[in-house]
Structures are given as C-alpha cells and as structure tokens.
Amino acid sequence: MNTFESYLFLATILFGFFTLYLYRNDIKIIENKIYLEKENEQKAEAKREQEFDRKFPILAKLNLDYCSSEYWKKGDLSASLFRLLIAPIVWTARLPYSSVRWMYREGGVYTLIFIAILFLFTAIKAPYFDVSFTGEHSMKYNSYVEPAKYMYENHNPFLYRKSYQADPVNNPLGIFNTFSQLPLLEWGLAATYALMPFNSLEVNTRLFTHFIGILILISAYVFFKNWFSKEESLIILFLMAINPIISFTTFVTVADSLLLLLTFISLNYASKYIEEERLKHLFFAGLFFGIGVATKYSIILWEAPIFTMLLILNKKTDMCTFVKSVGIFGLMGVLPAIAFKTSLKYLPTDALLSTISFIIWIVVISCVYTIIIKKENNIDNIISKATQNKLLFVGAIISGISIGITFLYVTQAYRLFNEFLTDPKLIFNWDMYAHMLNKQFKQYMTENVFYLGLVGFIFSLYSGFSKQKIALITFLVGSFFYWVLASKVIFFHNYYTNIIIIVFCISIGSMIYRVSRFYDNKFFFISIILVFSLLVYPTSYNANVNRLNEEIDQYSLMQVAQYLLENTNENEIYIDDSYLLTLTILTGRPRIDESNLIQDEISESIKTIGFSESMKKYNISCVITTRNTPRYEKYVNIFTDENLGSVSYGRRDIILSRLNPDYHSSGDIERRNQLIKECNIQNKFILEQKLGPYRIFSFSG
C-alpha cells in the first residue's frame, strides 16, 4: 500500500468502528429493516416474474416446454429418467427466455450493476488471454490443456494422453488407459478448440476458463441472494470479481474453478431445500456435490461442513430431518464418484462397455430419486425409529461408516492422504497457520481486503442471528475445516484458497452494507461504496496484473522448443531437470523427470550396455535444465545397488524447513555426493547447447 492508501484504509476502519459505536443500539432495528426490505424484494420479484409473459407475449413464445410440464411433475421412474435425459436439452432451449425473464425479475438497475461487474471481471483478464502457458503454476496447463489438445487433434474425446507424465519403460508416449478423474475440464477445452479453431491455443483456453468464471459469479450471486439483500450480494460479487486469486483460478486450467461452480450450484439447491423443505432440491444439491467429488475429492473438505452447518443453524431442523438430509446428501455425493470409477473411467479403452455401464448408473440414480420422492414418509418413519432406538441408531452409524470405507476403497481416494491431507507434525503447528495467514493469504487477497475482512468478522459479532450471519458462519466453518485438513497442499497452491477468500468477501460485503445503512441515506450509501471501491480496487487490480501477466523468457524457451523439434523425433523423450513442462505442449515430445529413471529395467540395462546406450534404448534424447549442470544426486540410484532413499523432500519436510531454516530432514545426501564421484556421474553428461538460461545435455559412458 502507498501512503495515501494507508491513510485511507486507517480512516475507513476508524470511521467504521466510530459508526458502530454510535449506532450500537440501533443494530437490531437495522437488521429488522434489512429483513423487511428483503421480503419486499422477494414479493416484487415474484410479481414481475408472474407478469412477464403477459407484458412480453412475443418473448413468452420462447418458453419451450415441449408439452412435458404435466409429465415432468410425475414422481415415477420413467419421469425421473425423462428428467435426467431431457433436462439439459429443455434447459438449453429455454435459456434465452429464462435469461431475459431473470433480468426483468431482478430489476433494471440491479441487472445493469450485475452486468457491469461481469464486464469488470472480463476487462481485468481479457488483455492477458494470449499470455503463454508459463508463469505461476504453469504445470497445470499440462494437466488439462495437453490432453484436450490431443483429443481435439485426433478427433477422439476418449484419448487420454499426457506426454508430461511419460514413463520410458511402461508408457513412453504418456497415453493412459483410464481417466484419472471426471474429465469435464478436458472435454470443455477440447470442445472450445473445435468451435474456435481460428484462435490461438492460449486464447481459447482462457476463453473457456473465463466462461467458467462467469458462471461462478452468476451462481454465486443467485446463492447469496438467498441469504443477503441484492445490494449486499452485489457488493460481495464485486469483491469476488476483482479478487486476484479468483481471477487466477479462472485463468489457469485448474479443476478448482469447476469445483467452485459446482459448490455454488449445489448450495443453491441446498438453500432451496432449507427454504421449501422439498426433497428434490436436496437430491440435486447432493448430485452436483457428487459430480464435484468425481471431479476432485477436495470439494468434500469444504462443502460437507458448509452443508452440515446450514442444517445445524436452521431452526426448523430436528434430529430426524438432520439425519435424513445428511444421509441423502452424502449418498448422492458418493454415487457419482463410484459411477465414474466403474464406468466413464474406462472410456479410453472400452467406450462401448463404459457407456453401457454409465447408462445403468443413470437408471440406478433415477431409481434413487424416485424412491426418495415417493417414499419420503417411509424414510421419515424409519429414521425416526432409528434415532429413538439405540441399537438401530448404532447400526445406522456403522452402515454410514461402511459406505464411507467402500467409497474410499472403490475410488482409491485413500491414496491421496499422504501428500494431500495434513499430518500430526503439522496439524497443531501454529507457526504454519500464522505463516499462511500473514505471509500467504494476506498477499493473495491484498492487505486492504485482508484487514477489512478481519474487521468484518469483529463487526459480525455485534449483529443479530440473521440469515446473513448464518451464511458467514457456515462458510467460515467450512473454510476452517478445509484449511486445517488440507494445509499441506494449500501451503503450496494459491488457487486452493478460493473458499477462504470468499469468506473474507462475505465478511467485508456484509460489514460495508450495514455501515452504509446506519444513516439511511442514498447519498451516504453511494459515498460509502465509492470510498470502499477506491480502497480495494487499485491494489486488487495491480495484484491481478502482476499475477496474470507473469511469464518466463519466451525467446529462449521457443529456441529450446525449436531445438527439440529439429534434433529429436516425435517419440523421443527429454529429461526435465527444471520443471519445463510447457515444452511438451510446444513440441509434443514426451517428458520425464529423473525419478522416472529409477526402475530395475533401466538399472540393469546400464550395467549391461552402459548409460549412453541405455538412454538410446529407451528413446531418451537429452536433459534440459536451467542450472549449470544436471542435478547429479538425482541420478545416483540408477548407478548403484545401494538402498538409497528418495532425494526429493515431501511436502511436510519442505513446509517445516521453510518455517525453520535449521530444520533438516534425515537423508543420505552425503553418501550421494560420494557416489557421484565413485560412479563418475558428472562425466556422463555432455553439454550440447546453451540457449539463454537453458542448457541441453546429451549422454556419455
């Protein structure tokens, strides 16, 4: 922050606390006023929605229902199948009508502000759509762009090739027989490449990820409107639109953008369920949650606590309702993931059988929907008896645990525990949390937003037990559980912090709105919003530009790519010594790192025919590094029979070493240095080319 921003920030905080002190006795009155205004808003919206078809008869003709409205309301199996199969078609066909009606229902002024926020979100990012696939977290482009690129080029949505994960012995081209997760992002990117072949790969990629960002903001606004007033929701949306991490998450290709979208869609249905107590809303809340689970398991760590807290803080929720809601939500969260693991996962090798299996799962899920809707009273009776009978209640708990264990086994999610979930050495490490809060989160969201958010949390303590406070508490609890359980990965990946960022946006939006309402004056309200915007926008914009515009030296990188294209064939593998994954997208050449060489077959080959000939045997052409020499210590394992540990540090050790410079993980680096000399490893690499900061080595011996 510059001097002016610092003074403005301090003045704003002091003014906020001064206002809070002056009007501390009026908070309850203001809360009631906001509640009444929200009720009036909802009545006005309902009236405008009802009169839309009468006022705009031409547009009303676009309301295509395919004469299915009566059949749609049925609750039998055939109707459930009809919904699942035809709903996307009907929804798409009605999109123009629904969009115009929604804008009319919202009101002209609010619609214009909403569109302006979406435009601002686009204007911040659009100048950088053509930035190269380098910079911060560039490896994520390989995770999704590379498979999508091969799908598009080969006209095959089931081809799953990731050249950056090649294996010289077992998978030299990086073509995989199964999908590792539900490939929604890859399919979306491939479709974008096909629809707009005239754009560059970079522009098309950013157009698709930005489209996801637009959908996130739309679904977030719809969700927040269930809990906040329109003005409040728009302030929160503005904060999300200018936030550097949310912009970055919807700029680079990471599954977390999809998870955020699915979270808000799911929570929208959850809000409807809490309001209307209709099980079909609960079913779809769980279904979209389940699609998120099939996409990436981390969604469980924040959405499950958020949903649970929404139920706990709902005054209408008794024990029977709570158990039923959690059970159905959890069941629908598990089924799509299991369905993917037993059907769509195998599309790359057996498309027909996978499709048949998927259709069977659609029938199963339709049956579950039918049972839930038609047998609600029976379900309530069973749960009521179970909660009153200790034996049945214990049996239900054991059944739930069994389903959870089955889910972990079938999906193999337990394999992620070691490197994803936190461990005993970190979970109570207060230095780590302080470091993340002060050195990472503050920088991610900018200092202004960080401190205003903390003030907003304090401010919320003075407010009543309103819907707004419930929403803030639920997101706060969800983000806290997520932070503690996933701190090991959050520490390294800024795009994992979206749900935490949103908590700060909610906190600030709620506070600013209430402060502006203390004086009940439109001029004062607008003035507060303008001052607030001046306080947060400039720093957020600068942080956005610095992050989105980051890229490495393109001239030298393209020289290296050209060298590979001219001096290697398309099946030759390069060893990446400096995390240069972008080269696989630029050249199509498979990539490995040093750890891929540590295999018995390669070690035996080196003993028999030597290092250089073994590299030729396995089609490995060179080493590319930004260092003066390759990291010789990483090659020691293939030249010795000694049982050496991994030369790479785990995430826990890296975190502890950053927190404490004196921390040293037990390793065998001294012995490795001895073996480098004994095996003469430094002479087995020959410098072939120097291109800017890059050095290319061939093999000898």
Side-chain angles (χ1 to χ4, degrees):
M1 288 191 293
N2 58 38
T3 305
F4 171 74
E5 289 172 338
S6 300
Y7 284 127
L8 181 62
F9 174 74
L10 181 62
T12 302
I13 290 179
L14 292 175
F15 177 75
F17 275 114
F18 179 70
T19 303
L20 178 64
Y21 176 77
L22 286 179
Y23 291 88
R24 61 191 183 279
N25 297 323
D26 297 333
I27 290 178
K28 186 65 178 177
I29 298 172
I30 292 170
E31 291 287 348
N32 290 334
K33 187 183 294 185
I34 292 173
Y35 177 77
L36 291 173
E37 287 180 359
K38 181 167 175 55
E39 276 196 335
N40 292 333
E41 277 179 11
Q42 292 172 337
K43 291 177 182 178
E45 285 181 3
K47 181 181 178 182
R48 286 196 294 268
E49 189 171 19
Q50 290 175 356
E51 68 184 19
F52 180 79
D53 288 352
R54 177 175 55 81
K55 284 194 170 184
F56 305 97
I58 297 176
L59 290 173
K61 294 179 181 179
L62 298 174
N63 183 16
L64 308 173
D65 61 5
Y66 297 96
C67 301
S68 59
S69 56
E70 291 302 318
Y71 184 65
W72 193 270
K73 296 176 183 177
K74 292 184 179 180
D76 55 24
L77 177 59
S78 62
S80 301
L81 282 170
F82 175 78
R83 283 189 194 90
L84 286 173
L85 294 174
I86 205 71
I89 300 172
V90 173
W91 185 86
T92 304
R94 297 182 69 244
L95 188 58
Y97 167 80
S98 301
S99 300
V100 176
R101 189 181 65 168
W102 181 82
M103 288 188 286
Y104 178 76
R105 186 188 67 188
E106 289 298 303
V109 174
Y110 296 114
T111 299
L112 287 175
I113 296 172
F114 176 74
I115 293 173
I117 291 173
L118 298 185
F119 179 80
L120 178 64
F121 179 63
T122 304
I124 291 172
K125 295 163 62 181
Y128 310 103
F129 279 176
D130 61 348
V131 169
S132 63
F133 293 141
T134 58
E136 194 172 10
H137 296 297
S138 59
M139 77 293 296
K140 288 301 171 183
Y141 292 113
N142 292 80
S143 301
Y144 299 99
V145 172
E146 191 177 310
K149 178 173 174 284
Y150 286 117
M151 288 177 183
Y152 163 64
E153 291 175 347
N154 292 276
H155 309 289
N156 181 2
F158 306 145
L159 174 64
Y160 197 44
R161 180 175 177 181
K162 298 189 285 186
S163 297
Y164 75 101
Q165 288 187 353
D167 182 316
V169 177
N170 303 305
N171 190 2
L173 295 180
I175 298 175
F176 292 84
N177 295 326
T178 59
F179 288 123
S180 56
Q181 74 284 318
L182 188 61
L184 297 178
L185 204 57
E186 292 93 326
W187 285 340
L189 287 167
T192 305
Y193 302 155
L195 287 171
M196 292 179 281
F198 43 84
N199 285 334
S200 68
L201 194 67
E202 291 83 0
V203 170
N204 276 338
T205 298
R206 273 57 178 268
L207 282 173
F208 178 71
T209 55
H210 182 67
F211 175 67
I212 293 175
I214 293 291
L215 294 180
I216 289 171
L217 293 181
I218 293 172
S219 57
Y221 175 67
V222 174
F223 168 76
F224 289 132
K225 267 189 50 189
N226 293 314
W227 302 90
F228 302 91
S229 68
K230 282 185 182 179
E231 292 94 340
E232 213 167 347
S233 301
L234 288 170
I235 295 171
I236 296 170
L237 200 70
F238 167 74
L239 287 165
M240 288 178 62
I242 66 171
N243 185 271
I245 295 303
I246 292 177
S247 291
F248 181 72
T249 303
T250 55
F251 182 81
V252 72
T253 49
V254 290
D256 299 75
S257 58
L258 274 177
L259 296 189
L260 203 55
L261 174 61
L262 291 166
T263 295
F264 278 116
I265 294 174
S266 173
L267 291 178
N268 271 314
Y269 279 108
S271 300
K272 288 182 181 179
Y273 167 67
I274 290 171
E275 186 71 26
E276 302 176 13
E277 298 182 349
R278 299 176 64 185
L279 282 184
K280 76 170 188 177
H281 297 317
L282 176 62
F283 172 86
F284 285 109
L287 181 64
F288 281 101
F289 171 58
I291 295 172
V293 173
T295 303
K296 194 174 181 180
Y297 298 130
S298 57
I299 192 175
I300 298 172
L301 301 181
W302 70 73
E303 188 172 351
I306 289 175
F307 176 77
T308 304
M309 287 303 299
L310 284 176
L311 291 175
I312 291 173
L313 297 177
N314 178 27
K315 296 178 181 178
K316 296 183 289 185
T317 302
D318 54 22
M319 177 58 74
C320 181
T321 303
F322 179 80
V323 173
K324 175 179 67 176
S325 302
V326 170
I328 293 174
F329 187 79
L331 176 66
M332 293 313 304
V334 165
L335 284 182
I338 296 177
F340 164 72
K341 287 291 185 179
T342 55
S343 60
L344 297 181
K345 177 180 179 178
Y346 301 99
L347 280 172
T349 50
D350 196 336
L352 178 61
L353 183 60
S354 297
T355 304
I356 293 172
S357 301
F358 182 63
I359 292 172
I360 292 172
W361 271 108
I362 290 177
V363 174
V364 170
I365 292 173
S366 300
C367 290
V368 171
Y369 177 83
T370 302
I371 292 170
I372 289 172
I373 299 302
K374 297 191 74 173
K375 303 294 182 181
E376 181 177 2
N377 291 334
N378 294 341
I379 294 172
D380 286 340
N381 291 334
I382 292 171
I383 293 174
S384 179
K385 291 178 181 178
T387 53
Q388 294 172 9
N389 186 302
K390 292 183 179 179
L391 185 62
L392 288 175
F393 191 63
V394 171
I397 293 174
I398 293 173
S399 298
I401 295 172
S402 301
I403 292 172
I405 293 172
T406 303
F407 167 76
L408 292 175
Y409 176 77
V410 173
T411 61
Q412 299 181 333
Y414 60 88
R415 294 184 176 181
L416 302 174
F417 288 179
N418 186 44
E419 281 302 299
F420 189 88
L421 295 181
T422 192
D423 56 51
K425 285 191 175 182
L426 294 176
I427 194 166
F428 296 115
N429 191 318
W430 310 119
D431 289 339
M432 179 188 70
Y433 297 118
H435 174 90
M436 294 174 75
L437 197 64
N438 192 48
K439 301 292 185 182
Q440 295 181 336
F441 298 167
K442 185 198 297 185
Q443 182 257 328
Y444 293 164
M445 66 183 78
T446 72
E447 290 187 10
N448 294 359
V449 171
F450 178 78
Y451 288 117
L452 280 173
L454 295 181
V455 173
F457 293 135
I458 298 171
F459 189 92
S460 67
L461 298 176
Y462 292 90
S463 62
F465 199 69
S466 60
K467 291 185 72 174
Q468 295 86 347
K469 191 171 183 178
I470 290 173
L472 177 60
I473 291 172
T474 55
F475 270 79
L476 184 61
V477 170
S479 64
F480 175 77
F481 271 94
Y482 173 59
W483 182 16
V484 171
L485 294 175
S487 56
K488 194 187 289 186
V489 289
I490 295 174
F491 192 93
F492 298 98
H493 303 93
N494 55 21
Y495 54 84
Y496 273 86
T497 62
N498 282 293
I499 205 70
I500 298 170
I501 298 291
I502 290 171
V503 174
F504 278 78
C505 293
I506 295 172
S507 170
I508 297 169
S510 185
M511 176 186 67
I512 293 297
Y513 181 69
R514 275 155 180 70
V515 168
S516 66
R517 292 303 308 273
F518 281 145
Y519 294 92
D520 199 19
N521 181 288
K522 282 290 183 184
F523 176 77
F524 180 77
F525 177 79
I526 295 172
S527 299
I528 287 289
I529 297 301
L530 287 175
V531 171
F532 164 68
S533 300
L534 287 173
L535 184 65
V536 299
Y537 180 74
T539 52
S540 295
Y541 177 78
N542 291 333
N544 270 302
V545 170
N546 292 336
R547 180 161 274 118
L548 300 178
N549 198 32
E550 183 180 346
E551 59 181 343
I552 62 176
D553 176 16
Q554 287 302 292
Y555 178 74
S556 298
L557 183 66
M558 294 307 297
Q559 280 188 310
V560 176
Q562 191 63 32
Y563 176 90
L564 285 177
L565 291 171
E566 292 177 355
N567 294 279
T568 65
N569 65 52
E570 61 182 13
N571 295 330
E572 285 190 275
I573 302 168
Y574 73 93
I575 300 176
D576 181 5
D577 191 72
S578 297
Y579 233 51
L580 302 171
L581 286 78
T582 308
L583 287 172
T584 64
I585 297 177
L586 295 174
T587 66
R589 302 300 190 259
R591 165 206 173 269
I592 61 171
D593 58 31
E594 307 88 343
S595 63
N596 295 114
L597 296 177
I598 306 175
Q599 302 189 51
D600 292 339
E601 294 87 344
I602 293 178
S603 296
E604 290 301 319
S605 177
I606 291 173
K607 292 176 185 177
T608 305
I609 61 176
F611 180 55
S612 178
E613 290 301 315
S614 294
M615 295 299 99
K616 290 180 183 178
K617 175 182 175 181
Y618 289 101
N619 226 13
I620 301 172
S621 61
C622 60
V623 176
I624 304 176
T625 181
T626 54
R627 299 172 176 84
N628 290 327
T629 64
R631 291 177 289 182
Y632 300 133
E633 69 275 7
K634 293 208 167 197
Y635 295 88
V636 169
N637 294 64
I638 61 176
F639 292 101
T640 180
D641 293 327
E642 290 188 28
N643 186 22
L644 299 172
S646 172
V647 73
S648 300
Y649 292 110
R651 284 173 173 165
R652 180 187 66 190
D653 293 325
I654 296 174
I655 292 172
L656 292 174
S657 65
R658 289 189 185 178
L659 297 175
N660 180 12
D662 296 328
Y663 174 85
H664 294 288
S665 174
S666 58
D668 45 30
I669 192 65
E670 292 183 4
R671 179 54 183 155
R672 285 179 177 276
N673 288 331
Q674 292 174 0
L675 288 169
I676 289 171
K677 296 178 181 178
E678 292 176 13
C679 300
N680 199 25
I681 294 176
Q682 65 270 26
N683 292 326
K684 297 185 184 296
F685 298 89
I686 302 171
L687 180 62
E688 291 288 342
Q689 192 81 30
K690 183 179 178 182
L691 300 168
Y694 305 104
R695 289 166 174 80
I696 301 172
F697 291 83
S698 61
F699 310 107
S700 175

